[in-house]
mmCIF file of all heavy atoms in Angstrom:
data_model
loop_
_atom_site.group_PDB
_atom_site.id
_atom_site.type_symbol
_atom_site.label_atom_id
_atom_site.label_comp_id
_atom_site.label_asym_id
_atom_site.label_seq_id
_atom_site.Cartn_x
_atom_site.Cartn_y
_atom_site.Cartn_z
ATOM 1 N N GLY A 496 17.336 -0.273 18.160
ATOM 2 C CA GLY A 496 18.038 -1.596 18.144
ATOM 3 C C GLY A 496 18.026 -2.247 16.867
ATOM 4 O O GLY A 496 18.776 -3.269 16.624
ATOM 5 N N GLY A 497 17.106 -1.893 15.893
ATOM 6 C CA GLY A 497 17.059 -2.621 14.655
ATOM 7 C C GLY A 497 15.844 -2.348 13.907
ATOM 8 O O GLY A 497 15.263 -1.266 13.954
ATOM 9 N N VAL A 498 15.317 -3.379 13.137
ATOM 10 C CA VAL A 498 14.133 -3.285 12.389
ATOM 11 C C VAL A 498 13.179 -4.315 12.714
ATOM 12 O O VAL A 498 13.544 -5.465 12.891
ATOM 13 C CB VAL A 498 14.498 -3.411 10.865
ATOM 14 C CG1 VAL A 498 13.190 -3.333 9.974
ATOM 15 C CG2 VAL A 498 15.475 -2.372 10.460
ATOM 16 N N ALA A 499 11.872 -3.893 12.934
ATOM 17 C CA ALA A 499 10.780 -4.877 13.317
ATOM 18 C C ALA A 499 9.917 -4.911 12.123
ATOM 19 O O ALA A 499 9.413 -3.970 11.542
ATOM 20 C CB ALA A 499 10.060 -4.447 14.554
ATOM 21 N N VAL A 500 9.573 -6.243 11.735
ATOM 22 C CA VAL A 500 8.795 -6.498 10.525
ATOM 23 C C VAL A 500 7.587 -7.222 10.963
ATOM 24 O O VAL A 500 7.702 -8.311 11.667
ATOM 25 C CB VAL A 500 9.550 -7.230 9.464
ATOM 26 C CG1 VAL A 500 8.702 -7.477 8.283
ATOM 27 C CG2 VAL A 500 10.818 -6.546 9.091
ATOM 28 N N THR A 501 6.342 -6.840 10.732
ATOM 29 C CA THR A 501 5.090 -7.465 11.102
ATOM 30 C C THR A 501 4.474 -7.932 9.871
ATOM 31 O O THR A 501 4.102 -7.139 8.956
ATOM 32 C CB THR A 501 4.234 -6.492 11.879
ATOM 33 O OG1 THR A 501 4.950 -6.074 13.018
ATOM 34 C CG2 THR A 501 3.022 -7.299 12.423
ATOM 35 N N ARG A 502 4.289 -9.233 9.665
ATOM 36 C CA ARG A 502 3.605 -9.821 8.553
ATOM 37 C C ARG A 502 2.330 -10.537 8.995
ATOM 38 O O ARG A 502 2.407 -11.676 9.449
ATOM 39 C CB ARG A 502 4.510 -10.852 7.777
ATOM 40 C CG ARG A 502 5.889 -10.275 7.427
ATOM 41 C CD ARG A 502 6.761 -11.418 6.877
ATOM 42 N NE ARG A 502 8.066 -10.933 6.534
ATOM 43 C CZ ARG A 502 8.552 -10.487 5.462
ATOM 44 N NH1 ARG A 502 7.654 -10.361 4.467
ATOM 45 N NH2 ARG A 502 9.732 -10.057 5.307
ATOM 46 N N GLY A 503 1.235 -9.796 9.007
ATOM 47 C CA GLY A 503 0.004 -10.437 9.511
ATOM 48 C C GLY A 503 0.051 -10.684 11.001
ATOM 49 O O GLY A 503 0.147 -9.776 11.810
ATOM 50 N N ASP A 504 0.046 -11.971 11.349
ATOM 51 C CA ASP A 504 0.146 -12.393 12.803
ATOM 52 C C ASP A 504 1.578 -12.799 13.173
ATOM 53 O O ASP A 504 1.751 -13.306 14.223
ATOM 54 C CB ASP A 504 -0.771 -13.476 13.041
ATOM 55 C CG ASP A 504 -0.568 -14.669 12.105
ATOM 56 O OD1 ASP A 504 0.173 -14.583 11.230
ATOM 57 O OD2 ASP A 504 -1.338 -15.732 12.378
ATOM 58 N N SER A 505 2.593 -12.594 12.312
ATOM 59 C CA SER A 505 3.962 -13.035 12.637
ATOM 60 C C SER A 505 4.826 -11.656 12.753
ATOM 61 O O SER A 505 4.515 -10.684 12.120
ATOM 62 C CB SER A 505 4.551 -13.944 11.510
ATOM 63 O OG SER A 505 4.545 -13.313 10.290
ATOM 64 N N GLU A 506 5.877 -11.854 13.465
ATOM 65 C CA GLU A 506 6.824 -10.734 13.703
ATOM 66 C C GLU A 506 8.228 -11.227 13.534
ATOM 67 O O GLU A 506 8.607 -12.269 13.922
ATOM 68 C CB GLU A 506 6.648 -10.166 15.112
ATOM 69 C CG GLU A 506 5.275 -9.543 15.410
ATOM 70 C CD GLU A 506 5.150 -8.909 16.798
ATOM 71 O OE1 GLU A 506 6.132 -9.049 17.548
ATOM 72 O OE2 GLU A 506 4.057 -8.396 17.063
ATOM 73 N N GLU A 507 9.003 -10.295 13.032
ATOM 74 C CA GLU A 507 10.446 -10.504 12.782
ATOM 75 C C GLU A 507 11.206 -9.253 13.324
ATOM 76 O O GLU A 507 10.783 -8.159 13.121
ATOM 77 C CB GLU A 507 10.790 -10.796 11.339
ATOM 78 C CG GLU A 507 9.979 -11.906 10.780
ATOM 79 C CD GLU A 507 10.138 -12.022 9.259
ATOM 80 O OE1 GLU A 507 11.006 -11.266 8.766
ATOM 81 O OE2 GLU A 507 9.427 -12.794 8.639
ATOM 82 N N ILE A 508 12.422 -9.559 13.950
ATOM 83 C CA ILE A 508 13.249 -8.468 14.407
ATOM 84 C C ILE A 508 14.695 -8.657 13.976
ATOM 85 O O ILE A 508 15.186 -9.695 14.271
ATOM 86 C CB ILE A 508 13.122 -8.308 15.921
ATOM 87 C CG1 ILE A 508 11.759 -7.915 16.417
ATOM 88 C CG2 ILE A 508 14.115 -7.308 16.484
ATOM 89 C CD1 ILE A 508 11.535 -7.830 17.918
ATOM 90 N N TYR A 509 15.284 -7.725 13.332
ATOM 91 C CA TYR A 509 16.589 -7.893 12.861
ATOM 92 C C TYR A 509 17.522 -6.685 13.469
ATOM 93 O O TYR A 509 17.045 -5.532 13.320
ATOM 94 C CB TYR A 509 16.698 -7.749 11.296
ATOM 95 C CG TYR A 509 15.861 -8.747 10.617
ATOM 96 C CD1 TYR A 509 14.584 -8.568 10.163
ATOM 97 C CD2 TYR A 509 16.337 -10.059 10.351
ATOM 98 C CE1 TYR A 509 13.871 -9.428 9.432
ATOM 99 C CE2 TYR A 509 15.635 -11.054 9.679
ATOM 100 C CZ TYR A 509 14.285 -10.662 9.268
ATOM 101 O OH TYR A 509 13.593 -11.622 8.605
ATOM 102 N N PRO A 510 18.615 -7.033 14.029
ATOM 103 C CA PRO A 510 19.453 -5.958 14.510
ATOM 104 C C PRO A 510 20.104 -5.216 13.333
ATOM 105 O O PRO A 510 20.245 -5.759 12.209
ATOM 106 C CB PRO A 510 20.520 -6.661 15.395
ATOM 107 C CG PRO A 510 20.542 -8.111 14.843
ATOM 108 C CD PRO A 510 19.158 -8.323 14.343
ATOM 109 N N TRP A 511 20.673 -4.006 13.627
ATOM 110 C CA TRP A 511 21.267 -3.300 12.504
ATOM 111 C C TRP A 511 22.495 -3.966 11.924
ATOM 112 O O TRP A 511 22.900 -3.706 10.812
ATOM 113 C CB TRP A 511 21.634 -1.872 12.989
ATOM 114 C CG TRP A 511 20.460 -1.005 13.252
ATOM 115 C CD1 TRP A 511 20.024 -0.552 14.451
ATOM 116 C CD2 TRP A 511 19.535 -0.518 12.223
ATOM 117 N NE1 TRP A 511 18.782 0.195 14.242
ATOM 118 C CE2 TRP A 511 18.566 0.288 12.939
ATOM 119 C CE3 TRP A 511 19.406 -0.648 10.877
ATOM 120 C CZ2 TRP A 511 17.502 0.905 12.268
ATOM 121 C CZ3 TRP A 511 18.436 0.011 10.220
ATOM 122 C CH2 TRP A 511 17.439 0.716 10.888
#
Side-chain angles (χ1 to χ4, degrees):
V498 178
V500 184
T501 304
R502 305 175 187 269
D504 55 352
S505 63
E506 295 183 358
E507 305 169 9
I508 296 179
Y509 302 97
W511 290 113

